[in-house]
Amino acid sequence: MGEVLVITSGKGGVGKTTTTANIGTGLALMGKKVVMLDTDIGLRNLDVVLGLENRIVYDLVDVVWGNCRLKQALIKDKRFENMFLLPAAQTKDKTAITASQMRELCANLQEEFDYVIIDCPAGIEHGFKNAIAGAKQAIVVTTPEVSAVRDADRIIGLLEAAGLKAPKLIINRIRSRMVQAGDMMSIEDIMDILAVDLLGIVPDDDFIVVSTNRGEPAVLDERSLAGQAYRNISKRIMGEEIPLLNIQEKTGFWQKIRQAFGNR
Amino acid sequence: MPFSDLINRFFGKEQPQPQNSPSKNVAKERLQLVLVHDRSDVSEKMMENLREDLIAVINKYMEIDQKSLDVSFSREDGAVALIANIPIVRIKR
């Protein structure tokens, strides 16, 4: 029996899809059999982030409606034998499926895979309710901004009300230089506010844009700091104890000289 | 001008802006206040009931200006407080 995890945030644009793609790929990299589900019906994007957009024949709605068998809709990744995507339908909307259909689908996938990772749409309506219906655990993604943290708090409440106890938090797009200058909330500030456990932190990394351009998740790149962060998170999901990533930017030559003269 | 400032000028580093409070503190305080409302789901109805109950209790001891009575949430010294501003007209004896 595999684990069913939903990646959610409430607010849009904080990195749910990127997080899903990197955690899914990270777990596959560690040898786990993984399927990722895009439940953002009508606005699918997980396929392009994973670079699998050209292989879609059937989608999640086709499976639920019985237009095809589950196996026919699963897209096998080009890099990993053990990684699959079930894409969202692009021409329907969130009401095309129900919560009980999602529960049944997740139960079926759970038999076959070590990890079922669900990419949740933004918002708290029908799409959100469907996405969390079949999940046993939830990961909440936020960024160090007032609006994102507020929405994360709301989502945590809704998840707990729906029986998804103890959701875990990922703080995305941390800019250490701004944190040091006091112009961005730190990890501690956010943890003071949100009553959940921290699963990981991800630095703001230009490489994420490059990796999305190419359809190659950053977790596969050894040099990317965000990639390292996602590898750590994947290991923590597998139960390993990994210390938090040090995301302080390396100081350059001139910065060191400045520091030597007493200015940080 | 201290020597370090000269060095900073030379390397084009901006002088730090004098600020009373870093903006992240503002962010944190605003968040904490807004979350009190979000979390408690404090409805207008509940605030109204609270107001009425407060008036009923205080009325036993003193006469108050019910129209000017104000009950609201506020942040004070890192904690969220319920602030009630209750103008007293007369103490009952």
Side-chain angles (χ1 to χ4, degrees), chain A residues 159-245:
Chain A
L159 288 168
E160 286 176 344
L164 281 162
K165 302 295 177 202
K168 292 207 164 67
L169 187 74
I170 292 178
I171 305 173
N172 195 15
R173 296 208 198 115
I174 301 171
R175 293 162 74 171
S176 63
R177 210 171 293 175
M178 288 192 76
V179 173
Q180 279 168 326
D183 276 326
M184 180 175 267
M185 284 186 284
S186 67
I187 299 152
E188 293 74 27
D189 292 328
I190 296 169
M191 297 315 291
D192 276 354
I193 291 169
L194 299 177
V196 284
D197 289 337
L198 185 63
L199 179 64
I201 54 167
V202 183
D204 193 33
D205 185 347
D206 290 352
F207 189 75
I208 290 290
V209 179
V210 178
S211 84
T212 309
N213 288 346
R214 296 205 171 114
E216 297 274 347
V219 72
L220 296 172
D221 191 282
E222 288 291 327
R223 291 156 303 169
S224 152
L225 198 55
Q228 179 64 50
Y230 285 122
R231 284 193 292 280
N232 288 358
I233 289 168
S234 304
K235 286 180 187 162
R236 286 188 203 111
I237 291 172
M238 288 164 59
E240 287 182 42
E241 296 245 349
I242 312 277
L244 276 189
L245 187 68

Coordinates of all heavy atoms in Angstrom, one line a residue, chain A residues 159-245:
Chain A
L159 N -7.9 21.7 5.9 CA -7.3 20.3 5.8 C -7.6 19.6 7.1 O -8.1 18.4 7.0 CB -5.8 20.3 5.5 CG -5.3 20.8 4.2 CD1 -3.8 21.0 4.2 CD2 -5.7 19.7 3.1
E160 N -7.4 20.2 8.2 CA -7.7 19.6 9.5 C -9.1 19.3 9.7 O -9.5 18.2 10.2 CB -7.0 20.4 10.6 CG -5.5 20.2 10.6 CD -4.8 21.1 11.6 OE1 -5.4 22.0 12.2 OE2 -3.6 20.8 11.9
A161 N -10.0 20.2 9.2 CA -11.4 20.0 9.3 C -11.9 18.8 8.4 O -12.8 18.1 8.7 CB -12.2 21.3 8.9
A162 N -11.1 18.6 7.3 CA -11.4 17.5 6.4 C -10.8 16.2 6.9 O -10.9 15.2 6.2 CB -11.0 17.8 5.0
G163 N -10.1 16.2 8.0 CA -9.6 14.9 8.6 C -8.1 14.7 8.2 O -7.6 13.6 8.5
L164 N -7.5 15.6 7.4 CA -6.1 15.5 7.1 C -5.3 16.1 8.2 O -4.9 17.3 8.1 CB -5.8 16.1 5.7 CG -6.2 15.3 4.5 CD1 -6.3 16.1 3.3 CD2 -5.2 14.1 4.3
K165 N -5.0 15.3 9.2 CA -4.3 15.9 10.4 C -2.9 16.1 10.1 O -2.2 15.5 9.3 CB -4.5 14.9 11.6 CG -5.9 14.5 11.9 CD -6.7 15.7 12.5 CE -8.1 15.4 12.8 NZ -9.0 16.6 12.8
A166 N -2.3 17.1 10.9 CA -0.9 17.4 10.9 C -0.3 17.6 9.5 O 0.6 16.9 9.1 CB -0.1 16.4 11.6
P167 N -0.8 18.5 8.7 CA -0.2 18.8 7.4 C 1.2 19.3 7.6 O 1.5 19.9 8.7 CB -1.1 19.9 6.7 CG -2.0 20.4 7.8 CD -2.0 19.4 8.9
K168 N 2.1 19.1 6.6 CA 3.5 19.6 6.7 C 3.7 20.8 5.8 O 3.1 20.9 4.7 CB 4.4 18.5 6.4 CG 4.4 17.4 7.5 CD 5.7 16.6 7.5 CE 5.8 15.8 8.7 NZ 4.9 14.7 8.8
L169 N 4.6 21.7 6.2 CA 4.9 22.9 5.5 C 6.2 22.9 4.7 O 7.2 22.5 5.2 CB 4.8 24.1 6.5 CG 4.9 25.5 5.9 CD1 3.5 25.8 5.3 CD2 5.3 26.5 7.0
I170 N 6.1 23.5 3.5 CA 7.3 23.8 2.7 C 7.3 25.3 2.5 O 6.3 25.9 2.0 CB 7.3 23.1 1.3 CG1 7.5 21.6 1.5 CG2 8.4 23.6 0.4 CD1 7.5 20.8 0.2
I171 N 8.4 26.0 2.9 CA 8.5 27.4 2.6 C 9.4 27.6 1.4 O 10.5 27.2 1.3 CB 9.1 28.2 3.8 CG1 8.3 27.9 5.1 CG2 9.2 29.7 3.5 CD1 8.9 28.4 6.4
N172 N 8.7 28.1 0.3 CA 9.4 28.2 -1.0 C 9.8 29.6 -1.2 O 9.3 30.6 -0.7 CB 8.3 27.8 -2.0 CG 8.9 27.5 -3.4 OD1 10.1 27.4 -3.5 ND2 8.0 27.4 -4.4
R173 N 10.8 29.8 -2.1 CA 11.3 31.1 -2.6 C 11.8 32.0 -1.5 O 11.5 33.2 -1.5 CB 10.2 31.8 -3.4 CG 9.8 31.1 -4.6 CD 9.3 32.0 -5.6 NE 8.5 31.2 -6.6 CZ 7.2 31.3 -6.8 NH1 6.5 32.2 -6.2 NH2 6.6 30.6 -7.6
I174 N 12.6 31.4 -0.6 CA 13.3 32.2 0.4 C 14.5 33.0 -0.2 O 15.3 32.3 -0.9 CB 13.7 31.4 1.6 CG1 12.5 30.6 2.2 CG2 14.4 32.2 2.7 CD1 12.9 29.6 3.2
R175 N 14.5 34.2 0.0 CA 15.7 35.0 -0.5 C 16.5 35.4 0.8 O 16.2 36.3 1.5 CB 15.2 36.2 -1.2 CG 14.5 35.8 -2.5 CD 13.6 36.8 -3.1 NE 14.4 37.9 -3.7 CZ 13.8 38.8 -4.5 NH1 12.5 38.9 -4.7 NH2 14.6 39.7 -5.1
S176 N 17.6 34.7 1.0 CA 18.3 34.8 2.2 C 18.9 36.2 2.4 O 19.0 36.7 3.5 CB 19.4 33.8 2.3 OG 20.4 34.0 1.3
R177 N 19.2 36.9 1.3 CA 19.8 38.2 1.5 C 18.7 39.2 2.0 O 19.0 40.0 2.9 CB 20.3 38.8 0.1 CG 21.4 39.7 0.3 CD 22.1 40.0 -1.1 NE 22.8 38.9 -1.7 CZ 23.3 38.9 -2.9 NH1 23.2 40.0 -3.6 NH2 23.9 37.9 -3.4
M178 N 17.5 39.0 1.6 CA 16.4 39.9 2.1 C 16.1 39.5 3.5 O 15.7 40.4 4.3 CB 15.2 39.8 1.2 CG 15.3 40.4 -0.1 SD 13.7 40.5 -1.0 CE 12.9 41.9 -0.1
V179 N 16.1 38.2 3.9 CA 15.9 37.8 5.2 C 16.9 38.4 6.2 O 16.6 39.0 7.2 CB 15.9 36.3 5.3 CG1 15.8 35.8 6.8 CG2 14.8 35.6 4.5
Q180 N 18.2 38.4 5.7 CA 19.3 39.0 6.5 C 19.1 40.5 6.7 O 19.4 41.0 7.8 CB 20.6 38.7 5.9 CG 21.1 37.3 6.2 CD 22.3 36.9 5.4 OE1 22.4 37.3 4.2 NE2 23.2 36.1 5.9
A181 N 18.5 41.1 5.7 CA 18.3 42.6 5.8 C 17.1 42.9 6.6 O 16.8 44.1 6.8 CB 18.3 43.2 4.4
G182 N 16.3 41.9 7.0 CA 15.1 42.2 7.7 C 13.9 42.6 6.9 O 12.9 43.1 7.3
D183 N 14.0 42.3 5.6 CA 13.0 42.7 4.6 C 12.2 41.5 4.1 O 11.4 41.6 3.2 CB 13.5 43.5 3.5 CG 13.6 45.0 3.8 OD1 12.8 45.4 4.6 OD2 14.6 45.6 3.4
M184 N 12.4 40.3 4.7 CA 11.6 39.2 4.4 C 11.5 38.3 5.6 O 12.4 38.2 6.4 CB 12.3 38.4 3.2 CG 11.5 37.1 2.8 SD 12.2 36.3 1.4 CE 11.3 37.0 0.1
M185 N 10.3 37.8 5.8 CA 10.0 37.0 7.0 C 11.0 35.8 7.0 O 11.1 35.2 5.9 CB 8.6 36.6 7.1 CG 7.7 37.7 7.6 SD 6.0 37.1 7.8 CE 5.4 37.0 6.1
S186 N 11.5 35.4 8.1 CA 12.4 34.3 8.2 C 11.6 33.0 8.4 O 10.4 33.0 8.6 CB 13.4 34.5 9.3 OG 12.7 34.4 10.5
I187 N 12.3 31.9 8.3 CA 11.7 30.6 8.6 C 11.0 30.6 10.0 O 9.9 30.2 10.2 CB 12.7 29.4 8.5 CG1 13.3 29.4 7.1 CG2 12.1 28.1 8.9 CD1 14.7 28.9 7.1
E188 N 11.8 31.1 11.0 CA 11.3 31.2 12.3 C 10.0 32.1 12.4 O 9.1 31.7 13.1 CB 12.4 31.8 13.3 CG 13.6 30.9 13.5 CD 14.5 30.9 12.2 OE1 14.5 31.9 11.5 OE2 15.2 29.9 12.0
D189 N 10.0 33.2 11.8 CA 8.9 34.1 11.8 C 7.6 33.3 11.3 O 6.6 33.4 11.9 CB 9.1 35.3 10.9 CG 10.1 36.2 11.4 OD1 10.3 36.3 12.6 OD2 10.8 36.9 10.6
I190 N 7.8 32.6 10.2 CA 6.6 31.9 9.6 C 6.2 30.7 10.5 O 5.0 30.5 10.7 CB 7.0 31.4 8.2 CG1 7.2 32.6 7.3 CG2 5.8 30.5 7.6 CD1 7.8 32.3 6.0
M191 N 7.2 30.0 11.1 CA 6.9 28.9 12.0 C 6.2 29.4 13.3 O 5.4 28.6 13.9 CB 8.1 28.0 12.3 CG 8.7 27.4 11.1 SD 7.6 26.6 10.0 CE 7.0 25.2 11.0
D192 N 6.5 30.6 13.7 CA 5.8 31.2 14.8 C 4.3 31.3 14.6 O 3.5 31.3 15.5 CB 6.4 32.6 15.1 CG 7.6 32.6 15.9 OD1 8.0 31.5 16.4 OD2 8.2 33.7 16.1
I193 N 4.0 31.6 13.3 CA 2.6 32.0 13.0 C 1.8 30.7 12.6 O 0.7 30.6 13.1 CB 2.6 33.0 11.8 CG1 3.2 34.3 12.3 CG2 1.3 33.1 11.2 CD1 3.5 35.3 11.2
L194 N 2.4 29.8 11.9 CA 1.6 28.7 11.4 C 1.9 27.5 12.3 O 3.0 27.1 12.6 CB 2.0 28.3 10.0 CG 1.8 29.3 8.9 CD1 2.3 28.9 7.6 CD2 0.3 29.7 8.8
A195 N 0.8 26.9 12.8 CA 1.0 25.8 13.8 C 1.1 24.4 13.1 O 0.2 23.6 13.2 CB -0.2 25.8 14.7
V196 N 2.2 24.2 12.4 CA 2.4 22.9 11.7 C 3.9 22.6 11.7 O 4.7 23.4 12.1 CB 2.0 23.0 10.2 CG1 0.5 22.9 10.0 CG2 2.6 24.2 9.5
D197 N 4.3 21.4 11.3 CA 5.7 21.0 11.2 C 6.3 21.4 9.9 O 5.6 21.4 8.9 CB 5.8 19.5 11.4 CG 5.5 19.0 12.8 OD1 5.6 19.9 13.7 OD2 5.1 17.9 13.0
L198 N 7.5 21.7 9.9 CA 8.2 22.1 8.7 C 8.8 20.9 8.0 O 9.5 20.1 8.6 CB 9.4 23.1 9.1 CG 10.2 23.7 7.9 CD1 9.3 24.6 7.1 CD2 11.3 24.6 8.5
L199 N 8.4 20.8 6.7 CA 9.0 19.7 5.9 C 10.3 20.1 5.2 O 11.2 19.3 5.0 CB 8.0 19.1 4.9 CG 8.4 18.0 4.0 CD1 8.7 16.7 4.8 CD2 7.3 17.7 2.9
G200 N 10.3 21.3 4.8 CA 11.5 21.8 4.1 C 11.5 23.2 3.7 O 10.4 23.9 3.7
I201 N 12.6 23.8 3.3 CA 12.7 25.1 2.8 C 13.4 25.1 1.4 O 14.3 24.3 1.2 CB 13.5 26.0 3.7 CG1 14.9 25.4 4.0 CG2 12.8 26.3 5.1 CD1 15.9 26.4 4.7
V202 N 12.9 26.0 0.5 CA 13.5 26.0 -0.8 C 13.9 27.4 -1.1 O 13.1 28.4 -1.0 CB 12.4 25.5 -1.9 CG1 13.0 25.5 -3.2 CG2 11.9 24.2 -1.5
P203 N 15.2 27.6 -1.5 CA 15.6 29.0 -1.8 C 15.1 29.5 -3.1 O 14.7 28.6 -4.0 CB 17.1 28.9 -1.8 CG 17.4 27.5 -2.2 CD 16.3 26.7 -1.6
D204 N 14.9 30.8 -3.3 CA 14.5 31.3 -4.6 C 15.7 31.1 -5.5 O 16.9 31.6 -5.2 CB 14.3 32.8 -4.4 CG 13.6 33.4 -5.6 OD1 12.8 32.7 -6.2 OD2 13.8 34.6 -5.9
D205 N 15.5 30.4 -6.6 CA 16.7 30.0 -7.4 C 16.3 30.2 -8.9 O 15.3 29.7 -9.4 CB 16.9 28.5 -7.1 CG 18.1 27.9 -7.9 OD1 18.7 28.6 -8.7 OD2 18.5 26.8 -7.5
D206 N 17.1 31.0 -9.5 CA 16.9 31.3 -11.0 C 16.8 30.0 -11.8 O 16.2 30.0 -12.8 CB 18.0 32.2 -11.5 CG 18.0 33.6 -11.0 OD1 17.0 34.0 -10.3 OD2 19.0 34.4 -11.2
F207 N 17.5 29.0 -11.3 CA 17.5 27.8 -12.0 C 16.1 27.1 -12.2 O 15.9 26.4 -13.2 CB 18.5 26.8 -11.4 CG 18.8 25.6 -12.2 CD1 19.6 25.6 -13.3 CD2 18.1 24.4 -11.9 CE1 19.8 24.5 -14.1 CE2 18.3 23.3 -12.7 CZ 19.1 23.3 -13.8
I208 N 15.2 27.5 -11.3 CA 13.9 26.9 -11.4 C 13.2 27.4 -12.7 O 12.5 26.6 -13.4 CB 13.0 27.4 -10.2 CG1 13.5 26.7 -8.9 CG2 11.5 27.1 -10.5 CD1 13.2 25.2 -8.9
V209 N 13.5 28.6 -13.1 CA 12.9 29.1 -14.4 C 13.5 28.4 -15.6 O 12.8 27.9 -16.5 CB 13.2 30.6 -14.5 CG1 12.7 31.2 -15.8 CG2 12.6 31.4 -13.4
V210 N 14.8 28.2 -15.5 CA 15.5 27.4 -16.6 C 15.0 26.0 -16.6 O 14.7 25.5 -17.7 CB 17.1 27.4 -16.3 CG1 17.8 26.6 -17.3 CG2 17.6 28.8 -16.2
S211 N 14.8 25.4 -15.5 CA 14.4 24.0 -15.5 C 12.9 23.9 -16.0 O 12.6 22.9 -16.7 CB 14.5 23.4 -14.1 OG 13.4 23.7 -13.3
T212 N 12.1 24.9 -15.7 CA 10.7 24.8 -16.2 C 10.7 25.1 -17.7 O 10.0 24.5 -18.4 CB 9.9 25.9 -15.5 OG1 10.0 25.7 -14.1 CG2 8.4 25.8 -15.8
N213 N 11.6 26.0 -18.2 CA 11.8 26.2 -19.6 C 12.1 24.9 -20.3 O 11.5 24.6 -21.4 CB 12.9 27.2 -19.9 CG 12.6 28.6 -19.5 OD1 11.5 28.9 -19.2 ND2 13.7 29.4 -19.4
R214 N 12.9 24.1 -19.7 CA 13.4 22.9 -20.4 C 12.5 21.7 -20.1 O 12.6 20.6 -20.8 CB 14.8 22.5 -19.9 CG 15.8 23.6 -20.3 CD 17.2 22.9 -20.3 NE 18.1 23.9 -20.9 CZ 19.2 24.4 -20.2 NH1 19.4 24.0 -18.9 NH2 20.0 25.3 -20.7
G215 N 11.6 21.8 -19.1 CA 10.8 20.6 -18.7 C 11.6 19.5 -18.0 O 11.3 18.4 -18.1
E216 N 12.7 20.0 -17.3 CA 13.6 19.1 -16.5 C 13.5 19.5 -15.1 O 14.2 20.6 -14.8 CB 15.0 19.2 -17.0 CG 15.2 18.8 -18.5 CD 15.5 17.3 -18.6 OE1 15.7 16.6 -17.5 OE2 15.4 16.7 -19.7
P217 N 12.9 18.8 -14.2 CA 12.8 19.3 -12.8 C 14.2 19.5 -12.2 O 15.1 18.8 -12.4 CB 12.1 18.1 -12.1 CG 11.3 17.5 -13.1 CD 12.0 17.6 -14.4
A218 N 14.3 20.6 -11.4 CA 15.6 21.1 -10.8 C 16.2 20.0 -9.9 O 17.4 20.0 -9.7 CB 15.3 22.4 -10.0
V219 N 15.4 19.1 -9.3 CA 15.8 18.1 -8.4 C 16.9 17.2 -9.1 O 17.7 16.6 -8.5 CB 14.6 17.3 -7.9 CG1 14.0 16.4 -9.0 CG2 15.0 16.5 -6.6
L220 N 16.8 17.2 -10.5 CA 17.8 16.3 -11.2 C 19.1 17.0 -11.4 O 20.1 16.4 -11.9 CB 17.2 16.0 -12.6 CG 15.9 15.1 -12.6 CD1 15.3 15.0 -14.0 CD2 16.2 13.8 -12.0
D221 N 19.2 18.3 -11.1 CA 20.5 19.0 -11.3 C 21.3 19.1 -10.0 O 20.8 19.7 -9.0 CB 20.2 20.5 -11.8 CG 21.5 21.2 -12.3 OD1 22.2 21.6 -11.4 OD2 21.7 21.2 -13.5
E222 N 22.5 18.6 -10.1 CA 23.3 18.5 -8.9 C 23.8 19.8 -8.4 O 24.0 20.0 -7.2 CB 24.6 17.7 -9.2 CG 24.3 16.2 -9.4 CD 24.0 15.5 -8.1 OE1 24.5 15.9 -7.0 OE2 23.2 14.5 -8.1
R223 N 23.9 20.8 -9.3 CA 24.4 22.1 -8.9 C 23.4 23.1 -8.4 O 23.7 24.1 -7.7 CB 25.1 22.8 -10.1 CG 26.4 22.0 -10.5 CD 26.7 22.3 -12.0 NE 25.5 22.0 -12.8 CZ 25.4 22.3 -14.1 NH1 26.3 23.0 -14.7 NH2 24.3 21.9 -14.8
S224 N 22.1 22.8 -8.6 CA 21.1 23.7 -8.2 C 20.8 23.6 -6.7 O 20.6 22.5 -6.2 CB 19.8 23.5 -9.0 OG 18.7 23.9 -8.3
L225 N 20.8 24.8 -6.0 CA 20.5 24.8 -4.6 C 19.0 24.4 -4.3 O 18.7 23.6 -3.4 CB 20.8 26.2 -4.0 CG 20.9 26.3 -2.5 CD1 22.0 25.3 -2.0 CD2 21.3 27.7 -2.1
A226 N 18.1 24.8 -5.2 CA 16.7 24.4 -5.1 C 16.6 22.9 -5.3 O 15.8 22.2 -4.6 CB 15.8 25.2 -6.0
G227 N 17.4 22.4 -6.2 CA 17.4 21.0 -6.5 C 17.8 20.2 -5.3 O 17.2 19.2 -4.9
Q228 N 18.8 20.7 -4.6 CA 19.3 20.1 -3.4 C 18.2 20.1 -2.3 O 18.0 19.1 -1.6 CB 20.5 20.8 -2.8 CG 21.1 20.3 -1.5 CD 21.6 18.8 -1.7 OE1 22.4 18.5 -2.6 NE2 21.2 17.9 -0.8
A229 N 17.5 21.2 -2.2 CA 16.4 21.4 -1.3 C 15.3 20.3 -1.5 O 14.8 19.7 -0.6 CB 15.8 22.8 -1.3
Y230 N 15.0 20.1 -2.8 CA 14.0 19.1 -3.1 C 14.4 17.7 -2.9 O 13.6 16.8 -2.6 CB 13.5 19.3 -4.6 CG 12.6 20.5 -4.8 CD1 13.0 21.5 -5.7 CD2 11.4 20.6 -4.1 CE1 12.1 22.6 -5.8 CE2 10.6 21.7 -4.2 CZ 11.0 22.7 -5.1 OH 10.2 23.8 -5.3
R231 N 15.7 17.4 -3.1 CA 16.2 16.1 -2.8 C 16.1 15.8 -1.3 O 15.7 14.7 -0.9 CB 17.7 15.9 -3.2 CG 17.8 15.7 -4.8 CD 19.2 15.3 -5.2 NE 20.2 16.3 -4.9 CZ 20.5 17.3 -5.8 NH1 19.8 17.5 -6.9 NH2 21.4 18.2 -5.5
N232 N 16.4 16.9 -0.5 CA 16.3 16.7 1.0 C 14.8 16.5 1.4 O 14.6 15.6 2.2 CB 16.8 18.0 1.7 CG 18.3 18.1 1.6 OD1 19.0 17.3 1.1 ND2 18.8 19.2 2.2
I233 N 13.9 17.2 0.8 CA 12.5 17.1 1.1 C 12.0 15.6 0.7 O 11.3 15.0 1.5 CB 11.7 18.1 0.4 CG1 11.9 19.5 1.0 CG2 10.2 17.8 0.4 CD1 11.4 20.7 0.2
S234 N 12.5 15.2 -0.4 CA 12.1 13.8 -0.9 C 12.5 12.8 0.1 O 11.8 11.8 0.5 CB 12.6 13.5 -2.3 OG 12.2 14.5 -3.2
K235 N 13.8 12.9 0.6 CA 14.3 12.0 1.6 C 13.5 12.1 2.9 O 13.3 11.0 3.5 CB 15.8 12.3 1.8 CG 16.7 11.8 0.7 CD 18.1 12.1 1.0 CE 19.0 11.8 -0.2 NZ 20.3 12.5 -0.1
R236 N 13.1 13.3 3.3 CA 12.4 13.4 4.5 C 11.0 12.7 4.4 O 10.5 12.1 5.3 CB 12.2 14.9 4.9 CG 13.4 15.5 5.4 CD 13.2 16.9 6.0 NE 14.4 17.7 6.0 CZ 14.7 18.7 5.2 NH1 13.8 19.1 4.3 NH2 15.9 19.2 5.2
I237 N 10.4 12.8 3.2 CA 9.1 12.1 3.0 C 9.3 10.6 3.1 O 8.4 9.9 3.6 CB 8.6 12.5 1.6 CG1 8.1 14.0 1.6 CG2 7.4 11.6 1.2 CD1 7.7 14.5 0.2
M238 N 10.5 10.1 2.7 CA 10.8 8.7 2.9 C 11.1 8.3 4.3 O 11.4 7.2 4.6 CB 11.9 8.3 1.9 CG 11.5 8.3 0.5 SD 12.9 8.3 -0.7 CE 13.7 6.8 -0.2
G239 N 11.2 9.3 5.2 CA 11.4 9.0 6.6 C 12.8 9.3 7.1 O 13.1 9.0 8.3
E240 N 13.7 9.8 6.2 CA 15.0 10.0 6.7 C 15.1 11.4 7.4 O 14.3 12.3 7.2 CB 16.0 10.1 5.4 CG 16.3 8.8 4.8 CD 17.2 8.9 3.6 OE1 18.2 9.7 3.8 OE2 17.0 8.3 2.6
E241 N 16.0 11.4 8.3 CA 16.2 12.7 9.1 C 17.4 13.5 8.4 O 18.5 13.1 8.4 CB 16.6 12.4 10.5 CG 15.6 11.7 11.3 CD 15.0 12.5 12.5 OE1 15.6 13.5 12.8 OE2 14.0 12.1 13.0
I242 N 17.0 14.6 7.8 CA 18.0 15.4 7.0 C 17.9 16.8 7.6 O 16.8 17.4 7.7 CB 17.6 15.5 5.5 CG1 17.3 14.1 5.0 CG2 18.7 16.2 4.8 CD1 18.5 13.3 4.6
P243 N 19.1 17.4 8.0 CA 19.0 18.7 8.5 C 18.6 19.7 7.5 O 18.8 19.5 6.3 CB 20.5 19.0 9.0 CG 21.3 18.0 8.4 CD 20.4 16.8 8.0
L244 N 18.1 20.9 7.9 CA 17.6 21.9 7.0 C 18.8 22.4 6.1 O 19.9 22.5 6.6 CB 17.0 23.1 7.7 CG 15.5 23.0 8.1 CD1 15.1 24.4 8.6 CD2 14.6 22.6 6.9
L245 N 18.5 22.7 4.9 CA 19.5 23.2 4.0 C 20.0 24.6 4.4 O 19.2 25.4 4.8 CB 18.9 23.3 2.6 CG 19.8 23.6 1.4 CD1 20.8 22.5 1.1 CD2 18.9 23.9 0.2

